[in-house]
Amino acid sequence: MSIDVVTFGCRLNSYESEVMKREAEAAGLKDAILINTCAVTNEAVRQARQAVRKAKRDNPNARVIVTGCAAQTETETFSEMEEVDLVLGNTEKLERKSYQDVAAFGISGSERVRVNDIMSVEETAGHLIDGLTGRARAFVQVQNGCDHRCTFCIIPYGRGNSRSVPMGVVIDQIKRLVSNGYNEIVLTGVDITSYGADLPGTPKLGTLTAKILKMVPALKRLRLSSIDSIEADEDLMRVIGEDERLMPHFHLSLQAGDDMILKRMKRRHLREDTIRFCEEVRHVRPDVVFGADIIAGFPTETEAMFENSLKIVDECGLTHLHVFPFSPRPGTPAARMPQLPRNIVKERGARLRAKGADALITHLTSEVGKTRPVLVEKEGLGRTEQFTQVELAGGIAGEIVETRIIGHTGRHLLGEALSKAA
């Protein structure tokens, strides 16, 4: 083997894994497994530890290098595992020098843990990549870190404060990917609606989005990853309504539908703010579909408060739900709040997932009979502009195919390919 990368978590991690592999290979590193971890929940950390043990068991002679958010926030957890040869922080994992002396001298001749203070990092470098291995769409990092301190979230301590990639660098990266055949680009980061606050002139995400669509006319699809709707700027709203190349699917960092719980989470919006945002977007883009992250069983959540989270699914017309039963993260204020019994947390998570499943079926049913351009992700599967999964025969990964929707399974659409889209 040479270098294998195991990636957990978000789209930003997927992008960074591509950079890690390239830098490690350029440094001459061989026979190594890089595990890029996530820290968003306790379960994510458990899965990372499990992956470490499996990697060493299956490849006893390979070096196992652990990095990512869990390595940054729980360094000792991984440095104490006998299967781990090296722990790298979120900054160090992207630097070629981190792998060079390992390749030349081995781990024993260097520090086994290289994790610096992430809060001291003031810039985010733009790494130009040619594509993402095995991916039909490409992710482009526009921002990293977060200036907010939601009471449940450990991620700012894994990613640092918010910092943006300059617009010119982002556009150059997208031009490079489009010239390599990518039809869809996803802008990614930790808090992308905070984009530009640290750049000269303080451009916003809407400014960046409009500039990309103007400067890269060959780009067929531009998609945004998770957004904080309260930070959506006027330019972004204008682009949503005016340019169909910006995909009509927005995944909201919602977290709860009850105002008191939102305040205890230290969120910056109230339920009415989210409802109003969804109405405004739907007014200018009627074909829009919304997804959302929602936490079930947050500390102090009463049944009435939870009911408000259930209701907001209908009030916002949410379709693609990511439900997280609350998981206390050590070091966060929410971990010190009065906790709900685990059986209640799990039961509310199940009810919220069932609500999401019903909402998805409603959406799938409404799609039957329509014709949609579908980006083929791999043989037999693709996604509509609204990010709804479609099962279809034929098509080459990465191409966009006009598809007639002929039914659904309750989880995804069934399609019949008509022709390649223009």
Side-chain angles (χ1 to χ4, degrees), residues 7-274:
T7 306
F8 291 92
C10 62
R11 294 181 175 98
L12 180 56
N13 254 12
S14 296
Y15 165 85
E16 290 176 335
S17 287
E18 199 70 29
V19 177
M20 287 163 48
K21 190 173 192 296
R22 183 191 67 191
E23 296 303 308
E25 288 175 341
L29 184 63
K30 296 179 180 178
D31 298 331
I33 300 172
L34 313 182
I35 299 178
N36 198 6
T37 65
C38 173
V40 71
T41 62
N42 290 326
E43 175 62 16
V45 178
R46 187 195 69 80
Q47 290 177 1
R49 287 171 57 84
Q50 188 178 52
V52 167
R53 296 190 184 98
K54 184 178 187 303
K56 198 66 173 181
R57 184 171 64 248
D58 294 347
N59 304 276
N61 296 322
R63 296 184 178 101
V64 176
I65 299 175
V66 180
T67 185
C69 289
Q72 183 76 44
T73 59
E74 298 187 31
T75 305
E76 287 187 9
T77 295
F78 294 96
S79 65
E80 292 174 355
M81 295 182 70
E82 61 181 18
E83 297 91 348
V84 175
D85 295 288
L86 177 64
V87 181
L88 295 177
N90 261 333
T91 298
E92 293 75 22
K93 72 181 182 183
L94 302 175
E95 298 174 344
R96 188 172 303 179
K97 63 184 180 182
S98 297
Y99 307 101
Q100 281 174 332
D101 56 345
V102 176
F105 306 110
I107 308 255
S108 60
S110 60
E111 295 181 11
R112 189 166 172 267
V113 175
R114 302 179 203 169
V115 180
N116 292 324
D117 179 11
I118 196 71
M119 294 301 177
S120 66
V121 180
E122 297 180 352
E123 294 182 353
T124 288
H127 298 273
L128 294 178
I129 60 174
D130 294 317
L132 278 85
T133 305
R135 300 270 185 174
R137 61 177 57 81
F139 308 139
V140 172
Q141 179 188 20
V142 302
Q143 179 273 344
N144 203 341
C146 185
D147 289 337
H148 308 301
R149 296 295 180 265
C150 298
T151 58
F152 56 83
C153 188
I154 197 72
I155 298 305
Y157 305 99
R159 289 287 181 177
N161 293 316
S162 181
R163 51 217 190 267
S164 309
V165 178
M167 280 197 291
V169 177
V170 173
I171 290 168
D172 286 346
Q173 171 68 97
I174 292 174
K175 286 180 176 178
R176 184 169 180 164
L177 290 164
V178 170
S179 69
N180 286 340
Y182 282 90
N183 285 318
E184 181 172 309
I185 302 295
V186 184
L187 302 186
T188 187
V190 175
D191 179 24
I192 67 170
T193 34
S194 71
Y195 177 84
D198 57 323
L199 295 178
T202 61
K204 294 186 179 295
L205 180 62
T207 313
L208 173 66
T209 303
K211 186 74 77 172
I212 290 168
L213 292 167
K214 179 181 179 180
M215 299 299 292
V216 195
L219 174 62
K220 292 192 170 104
R221 291 186 173 194
L222 181 64
R223 195 179 294 280
L224 304 181
S225 60
S226 180
I227 64 170
D228 202 338
S229 62
I230 198 68
E231 294 180 330
D233 59 279
E234 290 183 9
D235 282 345
L236 181 59
M237 295 299 293
R238 179 180 57 78
V239 175
I240 290 170
E242 294 180 0
D243 200 318
E244 292 186 353
R245 291 184 296 153
L246 181 61
M247 293 295 94
H249 166 256
F250 300 100
H251 192 82
L252 309 178
S253 180
L254 177 59
Q255 311 307 345
D258 180 81
D259 285 346
M260 181 57 71
I261 292 298
L262 288 167
K263 289 179 180 179
R264 289 170 181 167
M265 288 178 166
K266 209 174 178 182
R267 299 294 292 162
R268 293 159 301 287
H269 67 271
L270 299 174
R271 62 179 287 113
E272 287 303 321
D273 296 321
T274 305

